[in-house]
Structure formats: structure tokens, C-alpha cells
Amino acid sequence: MTHTHTHGTTHAGNGLAGDDLTANGLAEKPGRGGPGPAPGPAVDVTTDGLPSWLDPVAAAARSVQPQQLSRFLPPASGAGRQSAVLVLFGEGQRGPELLLMERSGTLRSHAGQPSFPGGALDPEDGDQATTGPLRAALREAEEETGLDPRGVQIFGVLPRLYIPVSSFVVTPVLGWWRAPSPVGVVDPAETARVFTVPVADLTDPANRATAIHPSGHSGPAFLVESALVWGFTAGVIDRIVHYAGWERPWDRARQVPLDWRA
């Protein structure tokens, strides 16, 4: 489904989520080659004008420690492929919502999995230790969903996360969809659909479960919008919901087995 809307500055900081090691949404993409152009204008992180319901998320981003999000932390050596995802909150017909996309079912890896827009940093994104991940998150969201990045206000950055199975070092960038723009599938070969999920559905205990991977790993899952959100993406959502104080008691014994191809 395609979703169409009609309606204090800080420096960027530096993950997460359950014990599942699958990096859904962060598949390899062809590089552009060459050093690329110089980075664009500075990208600010600001909470100015943020709606009050996002205040707990912004506060959590300022205070949460990497160990509170995941037991998998980036290697001290600096190894790993730097990447970023855009965790974009907006206001929909049913209130606060989150933007997700579903990968094409024909892809060789992570087929059909819901994810945040995102991907690896490119040289033109700039310094990976400062604003590079912010630019990468916005650029990837534009490339994958057609999102107009000018309408996005970055209000926080979570600690970098590490996904051992793929060696991705992922920076979750928190955004407020201040000026919504139409979004949809840009490349059907990569993306099956772009959709939003009401936060109310993500916090509904009836939509929560524990995903069990054939490898034995387990992690949080959400059954929303005719999709099973699991792995890295579900882990990020789970921790945001928890530390924002939005979590409601749910049945952690409810299990959803994943296909061996997951």
C-alpha cells in the first residue's frame, strides 16, 4: 500500500534490539564508485517545535546507553560497514504513526521483510562520526520511498548498533515528519510497498509476539498492517516503545515461528 499525506539544536550523537541477528532492510546495494561530491549543508538535530507526544522519545535518545539497547556493540577496532536507518514518526488519520517499507519478495536476501528506510553510507554523506549517518538516512529514504527530506526534522540519534551476521554498524536516526510528502514504491525490484503503522497498533498487546528464528534466536515481533515486523526493525521499535514509556504488558510467551528462509 502507498501512503500519501496531505497534511534546542544539538550535534548528532552516535544499538539495540533483541537477540535476533538479522539485518532486515540493510541489504547490499551497488556502490556509486568514486569519491563522490562534497557533503551538503550541515544537518541539525533539534527538538524545536516537536509535538509533545514525541518528547519521551527525544528524552530517551538523549539518555539511553548502548548496553540498554543491545548486547551487540560495534567493534572497538572500528570495523564494520557504516549504515543508517530513518525512524520516521508522523501524524496520520489514527494519530501518531511510523513509516516502514516492505522489501520485494523476489530479492535473494531479506525478501518480503518490513524495515525502516536505510542503507550504507556513501562517500558524499560525509563524516561517519558526525552528520554522515543523518545524511545517509535521509538520502536512502528519498531513494527508497520518494520522501522529500526537506519535510523531515531530525530530533534525535540512537547509539550505533552492531549486527554481527552482516557486520553492519547501524545508526538509527529519529525523524519527525514535520511537512509530510507523498511516498510510495520507487523501485519495485527492491521494494514491494511503503506503508505507515499507527503507534497505537504497535503498542497494542494483541499485535505483539516473540519471533523464533530457525537458528534458535528470538526477538520481539509486531503483527501489523498485514505484515510481520521482526528482526532488527522490530528490535528498534521495541526499545523505543519501552524507553518512551509507551509499552503495555503483552504475552511474551506468544511465539511466531519464522520460515527457514528468513
Side-chain angles (χ1 to χ4, degrees):
M1 117 184 200
T2 298
H3 186 91
T4 304
H5 285 273
T6 56
H7 58 71
T9 303
T10 61
H11 295 294
N14 320 281
L16 183 290
D19 292 336
D20 189 274
L21 307 184
T22 302
N24 49 332
L26 292 172
E28 298 287 338
K29 295 182 182 179
R32 291 181 174 79
V43 182
D44 289 332
V45 180
T46 178
T47 57
D48 291 348
L50 202 66
S52 58
W53 60 267
L54 273 175
D55 288 345
V57 181
R62 290 191 296 268
S63 62
V64 71
Q65 298 299 308
Q67 297 84 351
Q68 294 176 289
L69 299 179
S70 177
R71 60 192 180 95
F72 300 109
L73 304 181
S77 65
R81 187 172 186 188
Q82 297 294 324
S83 59
V85 295
L86 181 64
V87 184
L88 184 61
F89 292 91
E91 282 275 7
Q93 294 182 348
R94 294 182 52 205
E97 61 186 14
L98 196 59
L99 179 69
L100 295 176
M101 50 182 277
E102 187 173 297
R103 293 174 54 75
S104 171
T106 60
L107 293 174
R108 289 185 298 175
S109 62
H110 315 305
Q113 292 186 19
S115 68
F116 300 117
L121 270 66
D122 280 348
E124 61 263 37
D125 295 323
D127 186 2
Q128 66 184 32
T130 55
T131 55
L134 280 61
R135 292 194 186 92
L138 293 172
R139 173 183 54 75
E140 288 282 347
E142 182 177 16
E143 291 175 3
E144 293 178 331
T145 74
L147 171 79
D148 186 347
R150 294 173 298 181
V152 175
Q153 175 181 331
I154 297 175
F155 68 90
V157 183
L158 293 179
R160 287 183 173 88
L161 319 175
Y162 186 58
I163 305 176
V165 71
S166 60
S167 298
F168 274 111
V169 176
V170 190
T171 301
V173 177
L174 306 177
W176 158 238
W177 212 347
R178 177 176 41 79
S181 55
V183 293
V185 173
V186 174
D187 183 357
E190 289 191 359
T191 307
R193 62 171 174 152
V194 176
F195 61 102
T196 57
V197 179
V199 171
D201 288 352
L202 294 168
T203 59
D204 186 344
N207 296 332
R208 304 210 57 181
T210 298
I212 307 298
H213 194 275
S215 66
H217 294 292
S218 64
F222 300 84
L223 295 92
V224 290
E225 298 296 324
S226 303
L228 173 63
V229 184
W230 63 282
F232 173 83
T233 302
V236 174
I237 296 172
D238 172 77
R239 294 295 82 195
I240 290 175
V241 166
H242 175 76
Y243 286 109
W246 297 343
E247 189 173 34
R248 298 163 59 188
W250 57 281
D251 183 6
R252 297 174 185 272
R254 181 190 181 194
Q255 297 185 349
V256 177
L258 298 172
D259 187 270
W260 66 271
R261 293 167 295 181

